[in-house]
Amino acid sequence: MRLLAATAVCAALVLPRPAAAQTAPAIPPSVTTPDKVETRIGTLDFKDGAPSKATLDKVYDGLDFAHAQRAFADTLQGVSLHAIHKGLQSVGVKDNEAIIFSELMDAKSLWLTTNADTIYAVGALDLTKGPMVLETAPGFLGAVQDYWFRWIIDVGLPGPDRGEGGKYLIVPPGYTGPLPNGGFSVARSRTNVALWFARSFLADHKDPKPVADTIRKFTKVYPYEAGGLGTPIAEFLEGKAPLGRIVQPTPLVFHEASGKVMNTLPPNDFSYFERLNEIVQQEPATSLDPELMGPIAAIGIVKGKPFAPDERMKTILTEAVAQANAISRSLFMHPRDPSWFYYPGSAWMNPLFVSGYEFETPIPMITPEGAKPFPATGYRQLDARRWYFYGVTGITPAMAMRVTGIGSQYLFATLDADKQYFDGGKTYKVTLPKDIPEANFWSLTLYDNQTRSMLDTPQRFPRAGNQSYPSPATEPNADGSTTIHLGPTQPAGIARGNWIQTMPGKGWFAILRLYSPREPFFTKEWRPGEIEMVL
């Protein structure tokens, strides 16, 4: 009995005691939503985490507004190219035809930061029926872009033909047919329509006619004949390709554009989204990456569906595009990123040197050992992309490289030496030191702040440079430097070639161009003076 009692006592001693009541941990404030949240879109109410009806209205309006902002910022380049296409059509240019400015472009047409120095040729390629061939003239400097303004291939001096003239085969999305083994530089487009742009330099810096004649003679656009040029007979015998003809292309239809007025600028009102919808309906659903197409679809622009926003949505889109345009214009006119400015303390800038043509990785350095690429950053420089396409037409590696003697380089100035905007009623001057680093020619051109197109004045061609056409060449100073005056009237004692006219009440900005730049530009041993007010 004593043993049993002792055992019972021991068992009682080892039995677990009832657990004490556990207290739930406090919910961290960082994971909760307060009853009231103060935001940019107003006070938002969340009773015990549930949004009120008024809050839902504000939040969903804000969400639609945010999607519209992204849709603008991510597609500005595509709507810009679409505007060029519509501009061509407005003067009677069909797809697979072209325009040529055989007497140069003047300030009457609205084109983003084009020049009055070179002969432009521009055309659209319709790829809906299959690959198209673009034959280029000798001396071209240009590129082919898809309809979202993505670079496809360089042509001419920076391209495979290296300025000797060549045959380019542009292949449409989804094409699986045979392609030639040789004879063409082959490039694929992700869109059904592509645009090609080319410039050619004047003969002896003064006569456009021989160059325009060469462009008309050698430039051709025609459908590719599968199994023809570039396909060996052996491929036909092996069943890999049809036996096509060697097609003799018909002459390209050129429309003279010098002196014509056309608008190639993207809109910055509600019609922006209508233009965007036209692109989405025209192009394959997969022509833009899904992440970029997401905000577009979120505001009601979807391939194969009508774009019909209700009054609420139309009001939001109208406000969104106004703000998006204001942001883009602010970035363009007064950038805040110091890395965009080419020299310390200077107003001369170009973000392509730090972003590259894809707005991701800086331009490779060129050393005696060859090109030295920078490592990929892994992110898109969105402000640089937005800055660029708000004010510039065309994108290509040739505009973003440090190779001497090829392509062209640009410096922009939207501010004067005191970091103030330019006043069209004031007079300014800028001095370029001697030995301007170019192997072809240089120019300084003025642009209208509003349109980002050439400044329209009685002078017609708002430029100065060492070409003697379309305005007299500049006259250097005694020390070899060159001074250009910029103002509403020609200063006394200043040669006509050293003066660019401005207009009172009209703001402007400047671009300095160096065609075939030399090494002192890239090493920054040569530096242009700032544009300073003198009167």
Side-chain angles (χ1 to χ4, degrees):
M1 291 292 293
R2 290 180 179 177
L3 179 59
L4 290 174
T7 302
V9 170
C10 290
L13 291 176
V14 299
L15 286 176
R17 297 179 179 180
Q22 296 290 319
T23 302
I27 299 176
S30 61
V31 304
T32 65
T33 300
D35 287 348
K36 289 192 178 295
V37 180
E38 301 297 332
T39 73
R40 286 175 176 263
I41 59 175
T43 301
L44 306 179
D45 298 312
F46 291 91
K47 185 178 180 180
D48 194 26
S52 67
K53 173 63 168 63
T55 292
L56 288 172
D57 290 342
K58 292 177 184 177
V59 166
Y60 286 131
D61 283 355
L63 181 60
D64 290 337
F65 187 86
H67 286 318
Q69 287 282 304
R70 272 207 61 191
F72 181 97
D74 290 342
T75 66
L76 181 58
Q77 56 270 38
V79 177
S80 181
L81 190 138
H82 185 47
I84 297 172
H85 194 196
K86 293 180 79 73
L88 297 178
Q89 293 170 338
S90 73
V91 294
V93 183
K94 300 175 182 177
D95 291 350
N96 304 327
E97 298 179 349
I99 59 170
I100 184 171
F101 291 87
S102 60
E103 295 180 4
L104 306 190
M105 188 185 297
D106 63 17
K108 295 301 181 185
S109 283
L110 298 179
W111 287 76
L112 292 176
T113 53
T114 46
N115 67 62
D117 306 309
T118 59
I119 299 174
Y120 280 97
V122 183
L125 302 175
D126 178 3
L127 304 173
T128 57
K129 296 180 177 63
M132 294 293 294
V133 178
L134 167 65
E135 292 192 18
T136 60
F140 258 14
L141 173 64
V144 183
Q145 322 272 178
D146 79 4
Y147 216 77
W148 291 110
F149 234 137
R150 292 172 296 212
W151 174 77
I152 296 176
I153 192 170
D154 284 326
V155 301
L157 292 167
D161 71 270
R162 302 296 292 273
E164 297 299 312
K167 292 181 173 68
Y168 293 83
L169 181 61
I170 310 303
V171 182
Y175 179 80
T176 58
L179 293 173
N181 281 350
F184 300 88
S185 296
V186 179
R188 290 186 176 270
S189 171
R190 291 174 62 184
T191 58
N192 292 324
V193 179
L195 261 71
W196 59 273
F197 304 79
R199 293 159 290 162
S200 287
F201 304 132
L202 304 189
D204 300 321
H205 301 325
K206 60 184 179 181
D207 189 358
K209 187 178 184 306
V211 181
D213 290 344
T214 297
I215 293 172
R216 288 192 183 93
K217 178 180 178 181
F218 289 100
T219 309
K220 298 178 177 64
V221 170
Y222 53 92
Y224 168 66
E225 180 83 14
L229 181 66
T231 301
I233 298 297
E235 287 204 355
F236 165 69
L237 298 176
E238 294 170 1
K240 296 179 179 178
L243 187 59
R245 302 170 299 164
I246 303 297
V247 177
Q248 296 302 315
T250 58
L252 176 61
V253 175
F254 272 108
H255 297 253
E256 180 55 57
S258 291
K260 284 190 176 180
V261 176
M262 66 188 80
N263 177 17
T264 70
L265 305 185
N268 53 26
D269 58 10
F270 174 77
S271 65
Y272 179 94
F273 295 107
E274 294 174 321
R275 296 281 185 92
L276 177 58
N277 180 60
E278 291 171 0
I279 302 173
V280 171
Q281 302 309 324
Q282 170 188 289
E283 297 301 336
T286 56
S287 66
L288 202 61
D289 295 338
E291 190 74 19
L292 296 179
M293 198 64 86
I296 302 172
I299 61 173
I301 299 176
V302 178
K303 175 81 170 178
K305 296 182 179 181
F307 174 51
D310 58 20
E311 285 304 311
R312 180 194 75 89
M313 193 64 178
K314 189 170 182 179
T315 299
I316 289 172
L317 294 177
T318 301
E319 181 184 352
V321 74
Q323 179 172 303
N325 176 70
I327 293 170
S328 303
R329 179 170 288 279
S330 298
L331 279 170
F332 188 78
M333 293 300 300
H334 207 303
R336 64 179 180 177
D337 188 336
S339 72
W340 292 9
F341 294 90
Y342 197 58
Y343 310 95
S346 176
W348 293 109
M349 64 173 171
N350 188 338
L352 289 184
F353 284 98
V354 293
S355 73
Y357 80 98
E358 290 189 318
F359 309 100
E360 190 267 337
T361 301
I363 299 174
M365 298 299 294
I366 305 300
T367 71
E369 292 76 36
K372 299 292 183 182
F374 288 89
T377 63
Y379 61 86
R380 191 83 63 203
Q381 298 186 42
L382 298 178
D383 286 353
R385 184 181 69 181
R386 194 166 182 168
W387 175 94
Y388 186 88
F389 285 110
Y390 192 75
V392 184
T393 289
I395 187 66
T396 159
M399 300 176 74
M401 63 182 183
R402 293 184 169 92
V403 180
T404 59
I406 299 176
S408 51
Q409 285 298 343
Y410 311 81
L411 290 177
F412 296 70
T414 57
L415 304 171
D416 68 13
D418 297 319
K419 304 300 187 292
Q420 301 296 312
Y421 300 120
F422 296 110
D423 182 339
K426 304 293 185 181
T427 298
Y428 301 79
K429 71 175 182 178
V430 59
T431 296
L432 307 179
K434 67 177 182 178
D435 300 326
I436 298 173
E438 46 77 22
N440 200 319
F441 69 95
W442 66 269
S443 72
L444 182 74
T445 307
L446 302 191
Y447 297 88
D448 184 320
N449 282 351
Q450 284 283 7
T451 66
R452 293 91 72 205
S453 302
M454 283 191 281
L455 187 64
D456 190 8
T457 72
Q459 206 173 53
R460 188 183 176 195
F461 298 101
R463 48 84 62 193
N466 60 344
Q467 286 192 162
S468 58
Y469 185 94
S471 54
T474 55
E475 298 180 11
N477 301 319
D479 64 356
S481 65
T482 301
T483 300
I484 304 167
H485 287 73
L486 320 160
T489 57
Q490 185 174 347
I494 300 301
R496 166 63 186 83
N498 294 64
W499 167 61
I500 306 176
Q501 188 174 25
T502 62
M503 294 287 285
K506 177 61 66 178
W508 54 269
F509 64 93
I511 300 181
L512 175 64
R513 287 177 167 84
L514 303 175
Y515 291 91
S516 302
R518 294 186 182 276
E519 188 173 1
F521 172 75
F522 297 112
T523 61
K524 303 184 184 180
E525 296 172 46
W526 183 89
R527 173 175 173 168
E530 302 298 304
I531 304 176
E532 53 187 357
M533 185 189 298
V534 294
L535 183 62

